[in-house]
Amino acid sequence: MNKRLLLLLLSFFATHLTNAQDEFIARQGQVSFFSYASVENIEAQNNQVLSILDVANKKIAVSMLMRAFVFKKDLMYEHFNESYVESDIYPKATFEGNIIDFDTKASNQVKIIEGNLNIHGITKKTNLKATISKDENAYLITGEFVVLVNDFDIKIPPVLTSNIAKSITLKFTFQYQPYEE
Amino acid sequence: MKNRTHPFLILVLLFVSHFSTNAQDLLKKLDKEHKDTPQYKIATFKTTRIGLGHSIETRKKGTLEISLYNRYWDKPNTQSQRFLADEVNTRYGLSYSFSNDFTVGFGYANFDKISDGFIKYKLVKQRVHDKKSPLSITLVQSLSHRKFDNANTNLYSPSSSENKYSFTTQALIARKFSPELSLQISPSFVYRASSNNNNNPNAQFAIGFGGRHKINTHTSIVSEYFYVVNPVKSIDTFNSFLIGINWEVSDLMLQFHLTNARNFAEDTFITETANNFNFKDPNLHFGFNATFILHTKKRTFK
């Protein structure tokens, strides 16, 4: 009885360890967004986005601080955080998803990622296309997708509808290294 | 019996932990990776003035603020033909931020013909999730100038010079209690070389109380009150009070308010407000401030 239990225990530990080796992390991922509107174009960049890639389970997770976005104008930064995404209350935006038909051996592949995007405290099912390239023991994932401001309960006052686009283009670039805790 | 249930419990626990690490906890792992760099509260107030006086806010480096402050009021018992209001006092103002914490500004008000200038320095910034820095503190030094002919002759001695100056030093202390509520206390010291003919103090102390409450993401209700500890004796003065709405429209900040203060320079509205706050003419003043924010420096992305 005791021996069997020990074996079970060991096997659990072993799978835990292999999981760790299958994980890759990006600590300086880039996310930028663009709003093309008639009054002005708004562009912002976040260079401190965190992402983790679980190759064995074909899963990906992204987490970023809204306050880390940098804008062309400082006032835009204040308004973005204070009046739109309310980063005092919702400091982070996250994404969790599964990479469909992910091929661990392919050096270059374009795959669909199905997941949940959480912005402004609202979670929305999102599918996006990403380019995944593998280079020895590192991964690079890039892509672009569009989110609708309305989906995340971000309110644009009627007088400012011509200042901010209803759909925002998001671009992302993640460079992954093997994950060590 | 007890010894046999124990290992089963461990097994169950292991199963649970095993599955949860696979699914949910990628995000939890990322939470641990977020760096602990200090973050400061932003937008305790959205405008650099609450209504009457300065707020703790300063603009970021390279920002030019162009402002137009107006107060409208009626004159009692006059056969006035004016549309809206009989009298208006307008202050034309400019301020420039040399750094994120340091701003210099000046302005001129056309009714009382007072020119004013100020320097403003953000000394302490309130931090997010940090008990060591629970407050923001900003220091303001302002100076106002008027010709003797335009000044309240009770307050200034005619002797020495045509040019009369007043100086106001303020320490603004504010805290953003929640995303909606911010409060500010502003101990103020006003210095003016007074007339020798009366017992008016040269130095006056006052304390200001101000606050804002956001009613939606772009609009907030604001109020301000200045209590003067040692008012001037030669004229009747009242503590100044304001209630209003601040509205942010992109690069433009609009403020609408009701107040008993007619003047804009710190020393005048704190110590020389000659009417109480009520709805009788000429006590009620309607205020409208418009501030345009211009970025002279813009960041460029690669």
Side-chain angles (χ1 to χ4, degrees):
Chain A
M1 176 65 195
N2 270 345
K3 266 184 193 169
R4 240 190 276 163
L5 208 107
L6 206 78
L7 255 171
L8 258 170
L9 260 168
L10 272 173
S11 71
F12 270 116
F13 274 115
T15 52
H16 267 280
L17 280 174
T18 49
N19 275 347
Q21 283 169 354
D22 287 335
E23 284 175 358
F24 292 82
I25 190 159
R27 287 193 174 87
Q28 285 176 317
Q30 280 188 16
V31 170
S32 49
F33 72 76
F34 304 86
S35 144
Y36 301 106
S38 55
V39 174
E40 61 184 342
N41 293 335
I42 300 167
E43 187 183 345
Q45 246 179 37
N46 188 339
N47 294 328
Q48 298 161 44
V49 184
L50 297 171
S51 177
I52 201 159
L53 175 69
D54 185 340
V55 177
N57 295 304
K58 301 172 183 181
K59 279 179 188 298
I60 185 169
V62 178
S63 176
M64 62 181 170
L65 291 175
M66 296 312 244
R67 285 280 299 267
F69 272 104
V70 175
F71 290 75
K72 283 186 175 168
K73 291 183 185 175
D74 290 311
L75 196 66
M76 286 176 176
Y77 172 83
E78 188 180 306
H79 290 170
F80 171 76
N81 285 293
E82 260 288 303
S83 312
Y84 296 101
V85 297
E86 299 178 90
S87 56
D88 270 356
I89 310 167
Y90 314 104
K92 282 174 197 157
T94 58
F95 177 80
E96 262 184 303
N98 297 304
I99 308 168
I100 308 301
D101 300 330
F102 180 52
D103 180 0
T104 43
K105 290 180 186 85
S107 64
N108 229 319
Q109 55 189 325
V110 178
K111 295 290 170 206
I112 300 287
I113 304 176
E114 265 181 18
N116 290 316
L117 179 65
N118 181 300
I119 305 172
H120 195 231
I122 286 170
T123 306
K124 175 113 181 120
K125 272 212 166 13
T126 307
N127 293 355
L128 52 101
K129 212 196 277 177
T131 309
I132 306 165
S133 44
K134 190 188 175 187
D135 179 24
E136 287 192 14
N137 217 12
Y139 284 91
L140 176 74
I141 301 185
T142 59
E144 190 179 319
F145 66 109
V146 172
V147 294
L148 299 176
V149 176
N150 231 344
D151 285 346
F152 297 96
D153 196 30
I154 295 167
K155 292 177 199 92
I156 303 170
V159 273
L160 295 173
T161 43
S162 52
N163 293 51
I164 296 154
K166 287 191 177 69
S167 61
I168 309 282
T169 310
L170 272 122
K171 285 183 188 168
F172 57 89
T173 306
F174 297 110
Q175 184 89 53
Y176 294 89
Q177 304 293 330
Y179 178 56
E180 289 147 31
E181 280 188 62
Chain B
M1 192 63 193
K2 269 182 187 172
N3 283 336
R4 288 195 68 179
T5 48
H6 200 65
F8 273 114
L9 254 171
I10 295 175
L11 254 174
V12 169
L13 271 171
L14 268 171
F15 265 115
V16 170
S17 76
H18 190 74
F19 286 118
S20 62
T21 42
N22 276 347
Q24 260 285 322
D25 288 31
L26 288 181
L27 275 179
K28 279 196 184 140
K29 276 185 181 164
L30 287 181
D31 277 348
K32 283 181 214 148
E33 292 283 330
H34 276 294
K35 280 185 211 138
D36 255 354
T37 44
Q39 261 192 13
Y40 298 104
K41 287 267 184 194
I42 54 165
T44 304
F45 297 96
K46 284 193 180 168
T47 43
T48 51
R49 311 252 174 174
I50 298 176
L52 293 169
H54 285 276
S55 76
I56 54 132
E57 296 296 338
T58 55
R59 294 280 164 217
K60 294 284 187 294
K61 185 180 178 180
T63 309
L64 185 69
E65 264 197 350
I66 305 159
S67 59
L68 202 62
Y69 301 160
N70 302 286
R71 296 281 154 75
Y72 302 93
W73 67 98
D74 274 326
K75 281 203 289 195
N77 314 320
T78 49
Q79 296 287 313
S80 72
Q81 298 290 315
R82 304 271 179 97
F83 180 64
L84 282 177
D86 295 334
E87 299 283 0
V88 56
N89 187 10
T90 303
R91 179 186 181 273
Y92 307 87
L94 273 182
S95 72
Y96 185 77
S97 298
F98 288 91
S99 79
N100 291 350
D101 303 324
F102 182 68
T103 299
V104 173
F106 55 89
Y108 173 75
N110 62 6
F111 180 78
D112 45 21
K113 297 185 172 58
I114 293 175
S115 313
D116 70 277
F118 66 87
I119 54 172
K120 195 170 174 181
Y121 181 70
K122 216 173 195 179
L123 191 69
V124 179
K125 280 171 257 178
Q126 185 186 346
R127 281 197 192 169
V128 181
H129 312 302
D130 192 347
K131 290 192 173 106
K132 277 182 222 156
S133 184
L135 297 166
S136 297
I137 302 174
T138 298
L139 304 177
V140 184
Q141 175 62 54
S142 66
L143 162 153
S144 72
H145 164 265
R146 74 278 285 144
K147 289 262 187 262
F148 180 68
D149 301 340
N150 303 321
N152 189 327
T153 42
N154 271 321
L155 296 175
Y156 295 88
S157 70
S159 57
S160 54
S161 161
E162 270 281 273
N163 300 307
K164 300 298 174 195
Y165 295 94
S166 290
F167 306 88
T168 310
T169 310
Q170 290 180 296
L172 315 175
I173 304 157
R175 177 168 162 81
K176 191 177 188 179
F177 287 92
S178 73
E180 282 80 35
L181 182 73
S182 304
L183 297 177
Q184 178 175 304
I185 292 179
S186 4
S188 311
F189 168 75
V190 178
Y191 179 83
R192 162 197 323 110
S194 283
S195 163
N196 301 325
N197 304 332
N198 50 44
N199 289 325
N200 284 341
N202 285 329
Q204 285 183 276
F205 297 93
I207 184 156
F209 304 91
R212 76 119 192 233
H213 190 272
K214 262 166 86 172
I215 48 177
N216 67 35
T217 52
H218 287 72
T219 330
S220 51
I221 292 177
V222 292
S223 186
E224 236 184 332
Y225 178 74
F226 276 87
Y227 169 74
V228 184
V229 178
N230 55 337
V232 291
K233 288 163 185 157
S234 61
I235 51 169
D236 277 343
T237 61
F238 295 87
N239 294 330
S240 49
F241 174 77
L242 170 144
I243 185 154
I245 286 172
N246 287 0
W247 184 31
E248 153 217 328
V249 191
S250 186
D251 295 335
L252 193 64
M253 306 289 163
L254 301 177
Q255 300 174 291
F256 306 89
H257 40 245
L258 297 174
T259 175
N260 58 337
R262 187 169 294 175
N263 313 90
F264 299 104
E266 272 69 27
D267 61 285
T268 50
F269 75 74
I270 295 172
T271 66
E272 294 176 34
T273 296
N275 34 291
N276 205 347
F277 183 80
N278 57 42
F279 290 86
K280 288 177 200 144
D281 290 343
N283 293 352
L284 187 72
H285 294 68
F286 172 70
F288 169 63
N289 294 357
T291 307
F292 184 74
I293 294 148
L294 192 76
H295 290 77
T296 60
K297 292 189 175 79
K298 283 176 199 166
R299 225 167 259 115
T300 48
F301 294 129
K302 276 170 243 160

